[in-house]
């Protein structure tokens, strides 16, 4: 028996996936006859969506934690390699034709998937807020350069424009998202390449006066990996339309290369900028290093980058809501995510200090995504990315029903990873009790390894590829 998620989309529709047409599919399996595209599509998606100024901020934070130019650059490069996991996480979409958070029912159970799905929706909305705020501040500065510095009025107008650009593309759906990411990538890649050329030559590559220590290294890794790890619940959302015959190796390589190139290039730009200017206000700090003729273009780049990233997180959040049981189409569900994003952005822009909020948010992101990703990826490997597609959508019964819809092994492994991450987290909002005994090191990332190991031990011999 299939759940409401198929019926809400498929009744009386053609299921078309066309640019500037509202996508009619949601988390229901994409029929083979409607699949299209190739592995190169995911390259442009991850390349374009990661041409965002957030990575410049992350690179600057690594230097703020006490790392030298070369040390911070090494962290940026290693962080970029994590996109291999993001690419691999999308393979289930090719095999099943459905979204990541539907596939994760295999690891957590039909009902057990709900709590993790809710956490992932909250954090994905948080990341959308972060990028929306960055874009809003850039547009506000651009308006000020044009002579309109109207205080709260100009900031509110900038927020409205940023949200509108994001919402319009995400509302249309998959084909328009792919189209927008690709063409915006062409423009943003040229602009950000100029930024790198202008900022990199002035970098101070000398060693810092004092070594960063375990705390500096670990915090830099946590911040750098927060971005890639935040994508773990969504890669299959963008591979579910690919034909089943698409090479899984090509999908992994394309996604990994796209995310790696953009995140590493901008991360190194942030590292270089932080060795030359005060990056407490990252947009203003980077802008101070640029010639006057490029500053308006720079602000446009920041805005464009924030929009490209927010588009995919907002789009995926609408699928996430369907997974949580919202009985609406994807296009209607996205209105909820957009409204919450708007409210969160208003709070970040008018009620709190944004830099402090950003650091706190990035530090806590990994507590959720690392353990969840560990369980999901471990389950995917054990099943060799082969699932019972009908069972993933069954309301009751089937191979993923487990104990009344809950998979004890998956939930126990997730809890183990969450506890470990919480105990070893060092952030503005929470410092785990094990941080001090560890010399200030933040080992939150290892929550993924802990949850994966626990899951493998608990499911030994009981989790295997689906055999029709």
């Amino acid at each position: 028996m299939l759940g409401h998620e198929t019926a809400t989309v498929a009744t009386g529709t053609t299921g078309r996936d066309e640019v500037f047409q509202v996508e009619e599919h949601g988390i229901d399996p994409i029929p083979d006859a409607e699949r299209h595209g190739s592995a190169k599509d995911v390259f442009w998606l991850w390349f374009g969506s990661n041409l965002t100024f957030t990575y410049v901020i992350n690179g600057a934070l690594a230097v703020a934690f006490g790392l030298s130019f070369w040390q911070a650059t090494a962290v940026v490069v290693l962080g970029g390699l994590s996109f291999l996991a993001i690419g691999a996480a999308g393979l289930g979409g090719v095999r099943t034709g459905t979204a990541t958070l539907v596939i994760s029912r295999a690891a957590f159970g039909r009902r057990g998937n709900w709590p993790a799905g809710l956490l992932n929706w909250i954090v994905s909305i948080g990341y959308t807020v972060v990028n929306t705020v960055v874009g809003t501040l850039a547009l506000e500065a651009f308006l000020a350069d044009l002579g309109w510095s109207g205080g709260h009025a100009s900031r509110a107008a900038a927020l409205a424009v940023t949200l509108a650009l994001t919402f319009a593309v995400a509302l249309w759906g998959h084909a328009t998202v792919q189209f927008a990411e690709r063409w915006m990538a062409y423009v943003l890649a040229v602009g950000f390449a100029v930024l790198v050329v202008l900022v990199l030559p002035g970098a101070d590559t000398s060693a810092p006066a004092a070594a960063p220590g375990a705390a500096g290294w670990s915090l830099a890794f946590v911040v750098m990996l927060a971005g890639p790890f935040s994508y773990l619940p969504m890669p299959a959302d963008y591979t579910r339309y690919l034909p089943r015959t698409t090479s899984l190796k090509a999908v992994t390589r394309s996604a990994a290369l796209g995310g790696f190139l953009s995140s590493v290039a901008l991360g190194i730009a942030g590292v270089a900028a932080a060795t030359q200017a005060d990056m407490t206000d990252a947009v203003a700090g980077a802008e101070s290093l640029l010639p006057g003729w490029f500053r308006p273009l720079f602000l446009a780049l920041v805005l464009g980058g924030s929009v490209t990233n927010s588009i995919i997180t907002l789009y995926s959040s609408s699928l996430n809501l369907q997974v949580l049981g919202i009985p609406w189409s994807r296009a209607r569900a996205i209105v909820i995510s957009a409204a919450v994003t708007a409210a969160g952005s208003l709070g970040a822009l008018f009620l709190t200090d944004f830099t402090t909020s950003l650091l706190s948010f990035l530090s806590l992101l990994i507590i959720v995504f690392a353990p969840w990703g560990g369980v999901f990826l471990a389950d995917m490997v054990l099943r060799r990315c082969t699932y019972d597609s009908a069972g993933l959508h069954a309301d009751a019964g089937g191979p993923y029903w487990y104990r009344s819809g809950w998979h004890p092994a998956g939930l126990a492994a997730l809890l183990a990873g969450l506890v470990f991450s919480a105990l070893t987290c060092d952030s503005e909002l929470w410092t785990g009790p094990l941080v001090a005994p560890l010399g200030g090191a933040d080992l939150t990332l290892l929550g993924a390894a802990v949850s994966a190991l626990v899951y493998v031990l608990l499911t030994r011999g009981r989790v295997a590829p689906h055999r029709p």
Side-chain angles (χ1 to χ4, degrees):
M1 176 181 177
L2 293 181
H4 72 272
E5 55 214 39
T6 302
T8 56
V9 183
T11 54
T13 65
T14 62
R16 65 178 183 270
D17 181 42
E18 300 174 2
V19 177
F20 304 129
Q21 297 289 330
V22 176
E23 179 190 5
E24 294 166 339
H25 281 295
I27 60 174
D28 53 302
I30 307 300
D32 288 345
E34 297 175 23
R35 297 207 189 184
H36 59 87
S38 64
K40 67 181 180 181
D41 293 333
V42 294
F43 168 85
W44 289 110
L45 178 93
W46 293 112
F47 180 69
S49 63
N50 285 284
L51 287 170
T52 172
F53 192 72
T54 303
Y55 286 106
V56 176
I57 298 175
N58 293 350
L61 287 173
V63 175
F65 293 139
L67 274 65
S68 69
F69 174 84
W70 294 113
Q71 290 169 337
T73 296
V75 172
V76 168
V77 172
L78 291 174
L81 292 175
S82 64
F83 276 96
L84 283 167
I86 305 305
L91 301 182
V94 180
R95 289 280 177 84
T96 65
T98 192
T100 305
L101 284 172
V102 174
I103 299 170
S104 65
R105 290 169 175 171
F108 301 104
R110 184 66 160 83
R111 293 173 175 167
N113 191 58
W114 199 94
L118 178 61
L119 286 174
N120 283 320
W121 180 78
I122 292 172
V123 182
S124 67
I125 289 297
Y127 221 85
T128 307
V129 169
V130 168
N131 282 291
T132 299
V133 170
V134 171
T136 298
L137 294 175
L139 182 54
E140 182 186 23
F142 182 80
L143 294 174
D145 288 345
L146 295 178
W148 183 30
S149 52
H152 286 345
S154 62
R155 178 167 290 190
L159 174 60
V161 171
T162 305
L163 285 171
L165 291 172
T166 304
F167 176 72
V169 175
L171 176 66
W172 271 316
H174 176 267
T176 308
V177 169
Q178 296 271 24
F179 175 84
E181 294 291 349
R182 181 166 188 157
W183 286 97
M184 291 179 74
Y186 294 153
V187 177
L188 292 174
V190 173
F192 277 119
V194 175
L195 173 68
V196 173
V197 169
L198 292 173
V199 172
L200 194 58
D204 180 0
T205 59
S206 62
W217 280 102
S218 61
L219 287 172
F221 272 111
V222 167
V223 169
M224 205 60 59
L225 288 167
F229 267 75
S230 71
Y231 294 130
L232 276 173
M234 62 181 74
D237 302 0
Y238 304 100
T239 59
R240 71 195 205 281
Y241 277 92
L242 293 177
R244 293 181 191 272
T245 55
T246 306
S247 167
L248 299 186
K249 290 183 179 179
V251 171
T252 303
R253 286 195 303 265
S254 295
L257 182 61
F260 178 86
L261 289 176
S262 48
S263 65
V264 169
L266 296 184
I268 293 175
V271 171
T275 65
Q276 305 170 65
D278 179 7
M279 294 288 284
T280 304
D281 181 340
V283 173
E287 191 178 13
S288 69
L289 301 173
L290 302 173
W293 62 267
F294 188 70
R295 291 180 185 179
L297 297 176
F298 165 70
L299 294 173
L301 288 174
V302 176
L303 172 62
S306 72
V307 170
T308 61
N309 195 263
S310 294
I311 284 170
I312 67 166
T313 53
L314 188 61
Y315 172 81
S316 288
S317 72
S318 64
L319 299 177
N320 195 336
L321 286 174
Q322 287 191 316
V323 173
L324 294 176
I326 300 296
W328 290 355
S329 67
R330 181 206 59 82
R332 290 180 64 193
I334 204 171
V335 176
I336 298 176
S337 295
V340 176
T341 298
S345 300
L346 285 168
L349 286 165
F350 295 103
L351 301 178
T352 63
D353 175 76
F354 176 63
T355 303
T356 301
S357 300
L358 174 65
L359 177 58
S360 301
F361 178 72
L362 291 177
S363 299
L364 288 176
L365 262 180
I366 215 75
I367 292 180
V368 176
F369 283 115
W372 186 91
V375 175
F376 175 75
L377 293 174
D379 181 80
M380 186 185 75
V381 171
L382 291 174
R383 298 182 192 280
R384 298 179 185 175
C385 205
T386 304
Y387 304 89
D388 181 340
S389 295
L392 290 172
H393 294 271
D395 282 332
Y400 312 123
W401 188 244
Y402 304 111
R403 296 183 183 177
S404 300
W406 303 80
H407 190 198
L411 296 172
L414 175 63
L415 180 60
L418 286 170
V419 170
F420 179 88
S421 294
L423 291 174
T424 59
C425 175
D426 183 16
S427 73
E428 294 288 333
L429 299 179
W430 167 258
T431 300
L434 296 183
V435 172
L438 291 169
D442 185 328
L443 302 182
T444 317
L445 289 170
L446 293 181
V450 170
S451 62
L453 178 61
V454 172
Y455 187 76
V456 170
L457 292 175
L458 293 177
T459 60
R460 182 180 299 176
R462 295 189 289 115
V463 169
H466 169 66
R467 301 185 186 282

